[in-house]
Amino acid sequence: MQIFAHRGASAHAPENTLLAIKIALEQGVDGIEIDVHQIEQELVVIHDRWVHRTTNGHGQLANLSFAQIRTFDAGQGEQVPTLWEVMALIGGKCRLNIEVKGLKDKTLLITQLLKAEAELGFDLEQFIVSSFDHHLISQIKTLNTNIKIGALTASKPINYAAFAAQLDAFSVNADIAFLDEAFVQDAHQRGLQVYVYTVDEPEDLKMLYSWKVDGVFCNKPGAAKTYIKSLNSQLR
Ligand code: G3P
Ligand code: MG
């Protein structure tokens, strides 16, 4: 089961900052998850539509300029990073799940992923572009079929993972609150990977591991890695 740092190692550093990414890399994660919004022609790494929870700034992203956002402190003196800065720091050392929260220009993202493959040591297959906006990821897939998309859901649909298969997704990225073993099995039968958020409790890790879930998004990825290693050695 692969361990993804959720918003970076967000229990150990301010979420979605370069510091949180750096700590995640030090913890030897398999992947990192970040949240991305488009501001002007820039892709910025921040979770909320409003900036006050994660920075010392105020206001709604939609009403702020990129220059203004860059003046804010995102915690411990960290700036709100750009997607490019995050990719440059990771440099292909692990996978990157880019959760798109807001994006008007899909080609802006696709161009950056292709450029990261050419210039930053990434393989395109290391990226997963996920979203709760299934229209958006479907359009991205249509524009470039080589990009892996992850269909996010915080529900248990009647036809389980059928919606993700219909999108030609690589993975279903599901909320642990609504996931059960039947959902996992259904997704696997459709050839989909299953990634689950947000998982930090050992009992949850053990349950998902027993269901053969493919990956989990953790705020404390180092602890999760250690725990999974112990489960692996118990079963050997
Ligand atoms: O991508 C998994 C997870 O991050 C989705 O929910 O709200 O934490 O971005 P959220
Ligand atoms: Mg997210």
Side-chain angles (χ1 to χ4, degrees):
M1 192 159 74
Q2 296 190 24
I3 305 296
F4 284 74
H6 183 239
R7 311 180 191 176
S10 56
H12 308 293
E15 68 178 54
N16 283 320
T17 61
L18 293 180
L19 183 59
I21 305 294
K22 184 173 168 278
I23 294 171
L25 289 170
E26 286 166 2
Q27 294 184 350
V29 295
D30 304 294
I32 294 172
E33 187 261 7
I34 53 167
D35 305 287
V36 166
H37 287 261
Q38 179 179 351
I39 305 296
E40 300 161 6
Q41 280 305 101
E42 300 283 348
L43 296 171
V44 296
V45 180
I46 188 167
H47 185 275
D48 299 357
R49 291 167 55 246
W50 293 77
V51 299
H52 57 266
R53 183 181 63 83
T54 58
T55 76
N56 63 351
H58 294 282
Q60 198 175 347
L61 283 177
N63 299 327
L64 294 164
S65 67
F66 177 66
Q68 281 174 310
I69 292 165
R70 292 286 266 186
T71 65
F72 300 155
D73 185 339
Q76 296 182 31
E78 292 286 308
Q79 246 181 348
V80 173
T82 62
L83 172 62
W84 186 258
E85 287 168 344
V86 167
M87 294 193 296
L89 178 57
I90 297 172
K93 288 193 273 293
C94 70
R95 304 176 72 193
L96 181 62
N97 186 124
I98 301 164
E99 185 193 340
V100 183
K101 296 283 192 191
L103 181 68
K104 286 202 179 98
D105 182 357
K106 286 110 203 160
T107 58
L108 181 65
L109 174 63
I110 294 169
T111 305
Q112 290 207 11
L113 298 186
L114 296 175
K115 198 162 175 250
E117 186 179 45
E119 297 176 14
L120 297 178
F122 275 97
D123 213 85
L124 197 59
E125 67 97 33
Q126 288 179 288
F127 297 117
I128 303 169
V129 177
S130 68
S131 188
F132 287 102
D133 183 341
H134 298 172
H135 298 260
L136 177 67
I137 49 174
S138 173
Q139 287 157 9
I140 289 171
K141 188 76 187 169
T142 305
L143 287 168
N144 188 324
T145 54
N146 294 324
I147 293 175
K148 290 178 173 169
I149 57 167
L152 270 159
T153 183
S155 70
K156 180 163 44 169
I158 288 292
N159 294 321
Y160 291 112
F163 72 98
Q166 194 188 348
L167 289 165
D168 195 15
F170 167 75
S171 62
V172 179
N173 295 15
D175 187 336
I176 189 170
F178 302 100
L179 192 76
D180 60 16
E181 196 171 7
F183 194 166
V184 177
Q185 284 176 1
D186 179 86
H188 282 163
Q189 275 162 19
R190 296 176 194 276
L192 294 154
Q193 297 267 298
V194 180
Y195 298 102
V196 183
Y197 66 92
T198 307
V199 191
D200 283 298
E201 297 299 328
E203 278 178 54
D204 287 338
L205 287 164
K206 193 173 183 178
M207 176 184 77
L208 298 174
Y209 183 90
S210 76
W211 292 353
K212 301 188 169 33
V213 158
D214 302 284
V216 283
F217 300 102
C218 310
N219 297 328
K220 297 177 184 169
K225 274 224 85 98
T226 305
Y227 182 70
I228 293 299
K229 258 186 211 153
S230 77
L231 280 183
N232 279 333
S233 56
Q234 274 169 38
L235 292 170
R236 240 178 246 139

